[in-house]
Amino acid sequence: MSEHKEKKVTARAHANIALAKYWGKRDEELNLPFFDSVSINVEDLYTETTAVWNEEDVRDSLSINGWEVPAHKLGRIQKLLDEIRRRAGLEGYRCVLTSRNNFPVSTGLASSASGAAAAAMAASVSAGLSLNERELSQLARIGSGSAARSIPGGWVRAYAGSAEDGSDFYASSLFGQHYWNLHIFAILVDTKPKRVSSTDGMLACQKSPFWNAYMETAKHHADAAQNAIFQKDFSLLREVVHSSTCQLHALAATASPAIFYLSPKSLEIIEHIHRQSQAIPVCCTLDAGSNVIVICEDVVYPFVKNDIIALGLPYIQSKVGGGTTII
Ligand code: PMV
Protein backbone atom coordinates (compact mmCIF):
# COMPACT_ATOMS: atom_id res chain seq x y z
CA MET A 1 0.00 0.00 0.00
CA SER A 2 3.00 2.25 0.36
CA GLU A 3 2.65 3.49 -3.24
CA HIS A 4 -0.45 5.37 -2.09
CA LYS A 5 1.37 7.14 0.70
CA GLU A 6 1.13 10.90 0.23
CA LYS A 7 -0.97 10.53 -2.93
CA LYS A 8 -3.14 13.67 -2.89
CA VAL A 9 -6.52 13.38 -4.57
CA THR A 10 -9.17 16.10 -4.86
CA ALA A 11 -12.83 15.39 -5.62
CA ARG A 12 -15.72 17.76 -6.31
CA ALA A 13 -19.25 16.73 -5.31
CA HIS A 14 -22.48 18.67 -5.72
CA ALA A 15 -25.16 19.08 -3.11
CA ASN A 16 -28.40 17.38 -4.02
CA ILE A 17 -31.94 18.45 -3.27
CA ALA A 18 -34.46 15.71 -2.61
CA LEU A 19 -37.68 15.82 -4.64
CA ALA A 20 -38.93 12.66 -2.89
CA LYS A 21 -37.26 12.77 0.50
CA TYR A 22 -35.36 10.24 2.57
CA TRP A 23 -36.49 10.59 6.16
CA GLY A 24 -36.06 7.82 8.73
CA LYS A 25 -33.46 5.08 9.27
CA ARG A 26 -34.28 1.38 9.22
CA ASP A 27 -30.77 0.77 10.56
CA GLU A 28 -29.10 3.65 12.35
CA GLU A 29 -25.67 2.02 12.61
CA LEU A 30 -25.50 1.28 8.87
CA ASN A 31 -27.33 4.50 7.97
CA LEU A 32 -29.94 2.68 5.91
CA PRO A 33 -33.19 4.35 4.82
CA PHE A 34 -36.67 2.83 5.03
CA PHE A 35 -37.63 3.75 1.48
CA ASP A 36 -36.29 5.04 -1.86
CA SER A 37 -35.68 8.73 -2.52
CA VAL A 38 -35.20 10.86 -5.65
CA SER A 39 -33.13 14.03 -6.03
CA ILE A 40 -31.38 16.42 -8.38
CA ASN A 41 -27.77 17.45 -8.06
CA VAL A 42 -27.23 21.19 -7.83
CA GLU A 43 -24.50 22.39 -10.18
CA ASP A 44 -23.55 25.55 -8.27
CA LEU A 45 -23.54 24.16 -4.73
CA TYR A 46 -20.46 22.03 -4.25
CA THR A 47 -17.74 20.77 -1.95
CA GLU A 48 -14.14 20.20 -3.00
CA THR A 49 -12.19 17.85 -0.77
CA THR A 50 -8.54 16.84 -0.89
CA ALA A 51 -7.52 13.57 0.76
CA VAL A 52 -4.06 12.30 1.57
CA TRP A 53 -3.06 9.28 3.69
CA ASN A 54 0.13 9.24 5.77
CA GLU A 55 1.84 7.18 8.47
CA GLU A 56 2.95 10.14 10.59
CA ASP A 57 -0.36 11.45 11.97
CA VAL A 58 -1.91 9.87 15.04
CA ARG A 59 -5.51 10.46 13.97
CA ASP A 60 -7.64 11.20 10.93
CA SER A 61 -8.49 14.86 10.48
CA LEU A 62 -10.97 17.02 8.62
CA SER A 63 -10.99 20.76 8.08
CA ILE A 64 -14.00 22.53 6.56
CA ASN A 65 -13.35 25.99 5.11
CA GLY A 66 -10.29 26.29 7.35
CA TRP A 67 -12.08 25.12 10.53
CA GLU A 68 -10.48 22.05 12.12
CA VAL A 69 -13.30 19.67 13.12
CA PRO A 70 -12.62 18.34 16.66
CA ALA A 71 -11.80 14.58 16.68
CA HIS A 72 -14.91 13.67 18.69
CA LYS A 73 -17.09 15.44 16.10
CA LEU A 74 -15.89 13.49 13.06
CA GLY A 75 -18.89 11.18 13.55
CA ARG A 76 -19.90 9.41 10.36
CA ILE A 77 -16.88 10.74 8.44
CA GLN A 78 -14.74 8.77 10.89
CA LYS A 79 -16.77 5.64 10.06
CA LEU A 80 -16.33 6.34 6.36
CA LEU A 81 -12.55 6.64 6.73
CA ASP A 82 -12.40 3.51 8.91
CA GLU A 83 -14.21 1.56 6.19
CA ILE A 84 -11.85 2.85 3.44
CA ARG A 85 -8.81 2.08 5.62
CA ARG A 86 -10.08 -1.48 6.22
CA ARG A 87 -10.83 -2.14 2.54
CA ALA A 88 -7.54 -0.67 1.33
CA GLY A 89 -5.46 -2.44 4.00
CA LEU A 90 -4.09 0.87 5.22
CA GLU A 91 -3.93 0.04 8.94
CA GLY A 92 -1.39 2.39 10.46
CA TYR A 93 -2.24 5.15 7.96
CA ARG A 94 -4.26 8.24 8.78
CA CYS A 95 -6.19 10.46 6.39
CA VAL A 96 -6.06 14.24 6.18
CA LEU A 97 -9.22 15.67 4.58
CA THR A 98 -9.24 19.33 3.58
CA SER A 99 -12.64 20.48 2.46
CA ARG A 100 -14.05 23.69 0.96
CA ASN A 101 -17.70 24.49 0.38
CA ASN A 102 -18.88 27.30 -1.87
CA PHE A 103 -22.08 27.68 0.21
CA PRO A 104 -23.10 27.82 3.92
CA VAL A 105 -22.81 24.46 5.72
CA SER A 106 -25.37 22.75 8.01
CA THR A 107 -28.26 24.97 6.98
CA GLY A 108 -30.42 22.48 5.10
CA LEU A 109 -28.61 23.00 1.80
CA ALA A 110 -27.30 19.43 1.78
CA SER A 111 -23.68 20.22 2.65
CA SER A 112 -23.48 16.85 4.42
CA ALA A 113 -24.36 15.17 1.10
CA SER A 114 -21.74 16.96 -0.99
CA GLY A 115 -19.23 16.77 1.87
CA ALA A 116 -19.51 13.01 2.41
CA ALA A 117 -19.64 12.25 -1.34
CA ALA A 118 -16.47 14.27 -1.99
CA ALA A 119 -14.74 12.67 1.02
CA ALA A 120 -15.74 9.16 -0.11
CA MET A 121 -14.34 9.62 -3.59
CA ALA A 122 -11.18 11.55 -2.66
CA ALA A 123 -10.23 9.29 0.26
CA SER A 124 -10.97 6.01 -1.54
CA VAL A 125 -9.07 6.96 -4.71
CA SER A 126 -6.18 8.31 -2.64
CA ALA A 127 -6.14 4.99 -0.75
CA GLY A 128 -5.78 3.13 -4.04
CA LEU A 129 -9.30 1.69 -4.18
CA SER A 130 -11.04 1.73 -7.55
CA LEU A 131 -14.72 1.50 -6.77
CA ASN A 132 -17.52 1.67 -9.30
CA GLU A 133 -20.36 4.19 -8.99
CA ARG A 134 -22.64 1.80 -7.13
CA GLU A 135 -19.94 0.90 -4.60
CA LEU A 136 -19.03 4.56 -4.14
CA SER A 137 -22.65 5.48 -3.50
CA GLN A 138 -22.79 2.78 -0.79
CA LEU A 139 -19.60 4.11 0.74
CA ALA A 140 -20.81 7.73 0.66
CA ARG A 141 -23.99 6.61 2.49
CA ILE A 142 -21.88 5.73 5.53
CA GLY A 143 -20.96 9.43 5.75
CA SER A 144 -24.48 10.76 5.14
CA GLY A 145 -27.58 8.96 3.84
CA SER A 146 -28.30 11.54 1.18
CA ALA A 147 -24.62 11.63 0.07
CA ALA A 148 -25.17 8.42 -1.90
CA ARG A 149 -27.28 10.49 -4.32
CA SER A 150 -24.48 13.02 -4.95
CA ILE A 151 -22.22 10.35 -6.47
CA PRO A 152 -24.13 9.79 -9.76
CA GLY A 153 -25.00 12.80 -11.93
CA GLY A 154 -28.26 14.56 -12.77
CA TRP A 155 -31.57 13.06 -11.66
CA VAL A 156 -30.83 10.37 -9.13
CA ARG A 157 -32.72 7.66 -7.26
CA ALA A 158 -31.47 5.97 -4.10
CA TYR A 159 -32.75 2.40 -3.78
CA ALA A 160 -33.24 1.53 -0.12
CA GLY A 161 -32.96 -2.25 -0.65
CA SER A 162 -34.01 -4.72 2.01
CA ALA A 163 -30.84 -6.67 2.89
CA GLU A 164 -29.92 -6.37 6.56
CA ASP A 165 -26.31 -5.56 5.75
CA GLY A 166 -27.28 -2.84 3.26
CA SER A 167 -25.61 -4.66 0.36
CA ASP A 168 -28.54 -3.97 -1.98
CA PHE A 169 -28.71 -0.24 -1.20
CA TYR A 170 -27.32 2.00 -3.95
CA ALA A 171 -27.97 5.21 -5.89
CA SER A 172 -27.93 5.64 -9.65
CA SER A 173 -28.88 8.22 -12.27
CA LEU A 174 -32.39 8.12 -13.69
CA PHE A 175 -31.46 10.79 -16.25
CA GLY A 176 -28.40 12.89 -17.00
CA GLN A 177 -28.02 16.49 -15.89
CA HIS A 178 -29.20 18.00 -19.20
CA TYR A 179 -32.34 15.86 -19.43
CA TRP A 180 -34.80 18.57 -18.36
CA ASN A 181 -33.88 22.26 -18.40
CA LEU A 182 -35.04 23.33 -14.95
CA HIS A 183 -33.75 26.24 -12.88
CA ILE A 184 -32.98 26.00 -9.17
CA PHE A 185 -32.85 28.90 -6.68
CA ALA A 186 -31.59 28.30 -3.14
CA ILE A 187 -33.03 31.17 -1.09
CA LEU A 188 -30.90 31.80 1.99
CA VAL A 189 -33.49 32.55 4.64
CA ASP A 190 -31.07 31.74 7.44
CA THR A 191 -27.39 30.81 7.20
CA LYS A 192 -26.95 29.85 10.87
CA PRO A 193 -26.37 26.09 11.42
CA LYS A 194 -29.62 24.21 12.07
CA ARG A 195 -30.43 23.38 15.69
CA VAL A 196 -31.47 19.75 15.14
CA SER A 197 -29.37 17.48 12.91
CA SER A 198 -31.09 15.34 10.28
CA THR A 199 -30.19 12.19 12.21
CA ASP A 200 -31.66 13.49 15.49
CA GLY A 201 -34.69 14.79 13.58
CA MET A 202 -35.30 11.42 11.91
CA LEU A 203 -34.95 9.45 15.14
CA ALA A 204 -37.33 11.82 16.95
CA CYS A 205 -39.84 11.59 14.10
CA GLN A 206 -39.75 7.77 14.19
CA LYS A 207 -41.28 8.07 17.68
CA SER A 208 -44.08 10.37 16.51
CA PRO A 209 -47.60 8.89 16.81
CA PHE A 210 -47.96 9.75 13.11
CA TRP A 211 -44.82 7.90 11.94
CA ASN A 212 -46.65 4.89 10.44
CA ALA A 213 -49.11 7.10 8.60
CA TYR A 214 -46.20 9.15 7.25
CA MET A 215 -44.34 6.03 6.09
CA GLU A 216 -47.38 4.67 4.29
CA THR A 217 -47.52 7.77 2.08
CA ALA A 218 -43.87 8.75 1.87
CA LYS A 219 -42.75 5.35 0.56
CA HIS A 220 -44.70 6.05 -2.66
CA HIS A 221 -43.10 9.44 -3.34
CA ALA A 222 -40.03 8.11 -5.18
CA ASP A 223 -42.15 6.25 -7.76
CA ALA A 224 -44.39 9.29 -8.20
CA ALA A 225 -41.37 11.58 -8.67
CA GLN A 226 -39.72 9.20 -11.14
CA ASN A 227 -42.93 8.98 -13.14
CA ALA A 228 -43.31 12.79 -13.24
CA ILE A 229 -39.68 13.19 -14.34
CA PHE A 230 -40.03 10.48 -16.96
CA GLN A 231 -43.03 12.31 -18.44
CA LYS A 232 -41.46 15.75 -17.88
CA ASP A 233 -44.81 16.63 -16.33
CA PHE A 234 -44.16 19.61 -14.08
CA SER A 235 -47.57 19.62 -12.42
CA LEU A 236 -47.11 15.98 -11.36
CA LEU A 237 -43.62 16.82 -10.13
CA ARG A 238 -44.89 19.82 -8.18
CA GLU A 239 -47.53 17.64 -6.51
CA VAL A 240 -45.02 15.10 -5.23
CA VAL A 241 -42.39 17.70 -4.26
CA HIS A 242 -44.94 19.66 -2.22
CA SER A 243 -46.34 16.50 -0.58
CA SER A 244 -42.92 15.14 0.29
CA THR A 245 -41.81 18.49 1.74
CA CYS A 246 -44.95 19.38 3.69
CA GLN A 247 -45.40 15.87 5.09
CA LEU A 248 -41.83 15.81 6.41
CA HIS A 249 -42.16 19.21 8.09
CA ALA A 250 -45.62 18.45 9.45
CA LEU A 251 -44.31 15.17 10.89
CA ALA A 252 -41.36 17.00 12.49
CA ALA A 253 -43.85 19.21 14.33
CA THR A 254 -45.43 16.06 15.84
CA ALA A 255 -42.14 14.73 17.26
CA SER A 256 -41.58 15.09 20.97
CA PRO A 257 -40.14 17.63 21.55
CA ALA A 258 -41.51 19.19 18.35
CA ILE A 259 -38.99 20.17 15.67
CA PHE A 260 -39.51 23.28 13.57
CA TYR A 261 -36.98 23.54 10.79
CA LEU A 262 -39.09 26.22 9.07
CA SER A 263 -38.98 29.86 10.06
CA PRO A 264 -41.87 32.30 9.61
CA LYS A 265 -40.05 33.68 6.55
CA SER A 266 -39.76 30.22 4.97
CA LEU A 267 -43.48 29.67 5.52
CA GLU A 268 -44.26 32.98 3.87
CA ILE A 269 -42.21 32.00 0.80
CA ILE A 270 -43.71 28.49 0.68
CA GLU A 271 -47.24 29.90 0.75
CA HIS A 272 -46.38 32.36 -2.00
CA ILE A 273 -44.82 29.68 -4.24
CA HIS A 274 -47.72 27.29 -3.62
CA ARG A 275 -50.13 29.99 -4.75
CA GLN A 276 -48.07 30.73 -7.86
CA SER A 277 -47.70 27.06 -8.66
CA GLN A 278 -51.42 26.89 -9.41
CA ALA A 279 -50.78 29.06 -12.46
CA ILE A 280 -47.17 28.54 -13.56
CA PRO A 281 -44.60 25.70 -13.51
CA VAL A 282 -42.83 26.49 -10.26
CA CYS A 283 -42.53 24.57 -6.99
CA CYS A 284 -40.49 24.69 -3.81
CA THR A 285 -38.95 22.40 -1.25
CA LEU A 286 -36.93 22.49 1.98
CA ASP A 287 -34.72 19.87 3.52
CA ALA A 288 -33.95 19.89 7.24
CA GLY A 289 -33.52 23.64 7.50
CA SER A 290 -35.27 26.90 6.82
CA ASN A 291 -33.75 27.71 3.42
CA VAL A 292 -36.18 27.39 0.55
CA ILE A 293 -35.31 25.77 -2.77
CA VAL A 294 -37.41 27.01 -5.67
CA ILE A 295 -37.50 25.00 -8.91
CA CYS A 296 -39.05 26.22 -12.14
CA GLU A 297 -39.31 25.45 -15.82
CA ASP A 298 -37.32 27.47 -18.34
CA VAL A 299 -40.40 29.17 -19.79
CA VAL A 300 -41.12 31.06 -16.52
CA TYR A 301 -37.51 31.58 -15.48
CA PRO A 302 -37.35 35.42 -15.94
CA PHE A 303 -40.60 35.89 -14.04
CA VAL A 304 -39.60 33.61 -11.15
CA LYS A 305 -36.16 35.18 -10.92
CA ASN A 306 -37.62 38.70 -10.64
CA ASP A 307 -40.02 37.46 -8.01
CA ILE A 308 -37.12 36.01 -5.99
CA ILE A 309 -35.06 39.19 -6.34
CA ALA A 310 -38.06 41.10 -4.96
CA LEU A 311 -37.82 39.06 -1.74
CA GLY A 312 -34.59 40.92 -0.97
CA LEU A 313 -32.87 37.80 0.39
CA PRO A 314 -29.55 36.36 -0.80
CA TYR A 315 -29.96 33.44 -3.16
CA ILE A 316 -27.85 31.05 -5.21
CA GLN A 317 -29.02 30.19 -8.69
CA SER A 318 -28.20 26.92 -10.42
CA LYS A 319 -29.02 24.28 -13.00
CA VAL A 320 -29.12 20.54 -12.45
CA GLY A 321 -25.60 19.30 -11.78
CA GLY A 322 -23.36 16.37 -12.60
CA GLY A 323 -21.94 13.64 -10.41
CA THR A 324 -18.88 13.49 -8.20
CA THR A 325 -15.60 13.74 -10.08
CA ILE A 326 -11.88 13.85 -9.47
CA ILE A 327 -10.51 17.28 -10.32
O1 PMV B 1 -28.27 12.64 4.62
P1 PMV B 1 -28.80 13.30 5.82
O2 PMV B 1 -28.58 12.50 7.04
O3 PMV B 1 -28.30 14.69 5.97
O4 PMV B 1 -30.39 13.42 5.66
C1 PMV B 1 -31.00 14.13 4.62
C2 PMV B 1 -32.42 14.39 4.91
C3 PMV B 1 -33.13 15.35 3.97
O5 PMV B 1 -32.20 16.23 3.39
C4 PMV B 1 -34.13 16.16 4.75
C5 PMV B 1 -33.88 14.62 2.88
C6 PMV B 1 -33.08 14.05 1.74
O6 PMV B 1 -33.56 13.07 1.14
O7 PMV B 1 -32.03 14.61 1.39
Side-chain angles (χ1 to χ4, degrees), residues 187-204:
I187 305 173
L188 306 176
V189 173
D190 189 351
T191 51
K192 284 196 292 296
K194 60 193 173 206
R195 282 186 297 269
V196 183
S197 71
S198 305
T199 295
D200 290 350
M202 289 184 206
L203 298 179

Side-chain angles (χ1 to χ4, degrees), residues 18 21-23 25 112 144-146 149 198 202 248 287-288:
K21 303 204 184 287
Y22 141 59
W23 195 248
K25 297 180 195 285
S112 65
S144 158
S146 55
R149 297 190 312 246
S198 305
M202 289 184 206
L248 187 161
D287 281 339

Side-chain angles (χ1 to χ4, degrees), residues 154-266:
W155 304 73
V156 178
R157 179 163 179 152
Y159 298 86
S162 56
E164 266 184 30
D165 63 358
S167 52
D168 56 354
F169 168 95
Y170 68 102
S172 68
S173 293
L174 294 170
F175 300 99
Q177 72 178 113
H178 303 298
Y179 168 74
W180 191 0
N181 186 19
L182 299 188
H183 298 264
I184 305 163
F185 299 88
I187 305 173
L188 306 176
V189 173
D190 189 351
T191 51
K192 284 196 292 296
K194 60 193 173 206
R195 282 186 297 269
V196 183
S197 71
S198 305
T199 295
D200 290 350
M202 289 184 206
L203 298 179
C205 283
Q206 283 169 228
K207 293 193 195 117
S208 156
F210 298 98
W211 171 253
N212 287 337
Y214 169 76
M215 272 271 286
E216 273 316 299
T217 321
K219 69 184 182 193
H220 300 296
H221 287 153
D223 281 346
Q226 181 169 340
N227 179 43
I229 297 163
F230 178 70
Q231 296 188 49
K232 291 191 182 169
D233 184 327
F234 199 92
S235 60
L236 280 182
L237 185 68
R238 176 203 64 199
E239 224 172 276
V240 64
V241 169
H242 286 180
S243 297
S244 179
T245 305
C246 295
Q247 286 171 21
L248 187 161
H249 288 276
L251 180 74
T254 69
S256 179
I259 301 164
F260 301 103
Y261 288 114
L262 310 178
S263 70
K265 192 71 195 173
S266 355

Side-chain angles (χ1 to χ4, degrees), residues 61-83:
S61 62
L62 164 67
S63 72
I64 303 174
N65 293 350
W67 173 67
E68 198 61 41
V69 178
H72 68 280
K73 287 200 164 168
L74 282 181
R76 291 189 192 281
I77 293 296
Q78 183 65 67
K79 284 192 184 175
L80 174 65
L81 293 176
D82 289 345
E83 179 61 16

